[in-house]
Amino acid sequence: MLEFLAKGETNKEIARHLNLTEATIKVYVRELMKHFSAKNRMQVALKASALVQAQATTPQPEDDPEQIAPRPAMSCR
C-alpha cells in the first residue's frame, strides 16, 4: 500500500489494486497518518516514498548468496 501512496494514487485506485473497498483504504491511510505522525495524506506519501526508495536500494538477503543460510539436507529413511 505504501508503494501506491508513494506513486500518488487515489484511494479508489489503491482499493482497486488491493481488491478492497475505498472505505477500508481510508481507514488504512488514517492509521498510517497516526503511525507516521503525519498531518495529511501528502506527508504520508512523502514518508512512504522515502521508505520505498530505501528498500529499493538496500540489498535483500536473496540478492546476496552469502547472506542466505544453507538448507539442511533432507534424509530419506
Side-chain angles (χ1 to χ4, degrees), residues 10-56:
T10 65
N11 288 347
K12 191 174 199 173
E13 292 168 331
I14 296 169
R16 219 177 290 135
H17 286 296
L18 300 177
N19 200 26
L20 297 170
T21 66
E22 193 173 346
T24 301
I25 300 303
K26 286 180 184 180
V27 170
Y28 288 166
V29 169
R30 200 174 9 227
E31 290 301 315
L32 287 169
M33 287 173 63
K34 289 179 192 175
H35 178 75
F36 287 118
S37 300
K39 295 182 182 189
N40 56 46
R41 180 190 175 94
M42 179 60 74
Q43 288 180 348
V44 173
L46 290 171
K47 291 179 182 191
S49 180
L51 282 175
V52 169
Q53 288 177 358
Q55 286 180 343

